[in-house]
């Protein structure tokens, strides 16, 4: 009978060990999903900022008319830099 008791104790300890591993893994997965969501949200916020700058640039071009090249230059420079930096990115990095 001694081997059976030790086997059941071992199985019980294994069961609790695996339960804690599953709990740790679940927490890890939740944290990873949260990080992904925050990353994508920030990426979209930056993209929407670029869209707002574009809208202001269009307004400036319409209001300034012929002089838009001189008077809206700072806005167009800002928009170009935002286009380069503020792209919508996914959470995975793929190297080509």
């Amino acid at each position: 009978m001694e081997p059976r008791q030790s086997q059941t104790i071992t199985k019980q300890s294994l069961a609790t060990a695996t339960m804690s591993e599953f709990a740790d893994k679940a927490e890890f997965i939740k944290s990873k999903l949260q990080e992904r969501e925050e990353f994508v949200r920030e990426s979209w916020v930056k993209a929407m900022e670029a869209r707002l700058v574009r809208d202001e640039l269009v307004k400036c071009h319409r209001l300034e008319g012929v002089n838009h090249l001189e008077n809206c230059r700072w806005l167009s420079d800002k928009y170009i830099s935002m286009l380069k930096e503020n792209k919508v990115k996914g959470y995975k990095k793929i190297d080509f």
Side-chain angles (χ1 to χ4, degrees):
M1 284 214 190
E2 289 297 321
R4 288 184 184 170
Q5 287 178 348
S6 64
Q7 286 176 352
T8 56
I9 291 172
T10 307
K11 287 181 182 179
Q12 288 174 351
S13 63
L14 266 174
T16 47
T18 55
M19 292 299 279
S20 65
E21 288 176 13
F22 287 133
D24 292 341
K25 199 168 199 175
E27 286 181 29
F28 176 74
I29 291 171
K30 284 182 183 179
S31 66
K32 200 66 157 169
L33 290 175
Q34 185 69 23
E35 288 176 17
R36 288 179 183 177
E37 186 177 315
E38 289 174 6
F39 183 79
V40 171
R41 185 181 305 125
E42 287 298 318
S43 178
W44 274 102
V45 166
K46 289 179 181 179
M48 293 301 116
E49 287 175 355
R51 182 180 284 180
L52 291 173
V53 170
R54 182 191 67 199
D55 292 343
E56 290 298 317
L57 181 61
V58 169
K59 286 180 189 175
C60 184
H61 276 248
R62 288 181 183 156
L63 290 176
E64 296 298 329
V66 178
N67 298 327
H68 72 275
L69 292 175
E70 294 175 5
N71 297 337
C72 302
R73 174 89 181 182
W74 65 275
L75 246 165
S76 61
D77 290 339
K78 184 174 182 178
Y79 181 59
I80 288 172
S81 68
M82 289 181 95
L83 281 178
K84 291 178 184 175
E85 298 168 3
N86 299 346
K87 294 180 181 178
V88 176
K89 300 173 187 169
Y91 57 89
K92 289 187 179 182
K93 303 286 184 198
I94 299 173
D95 296 329
F96 287 103

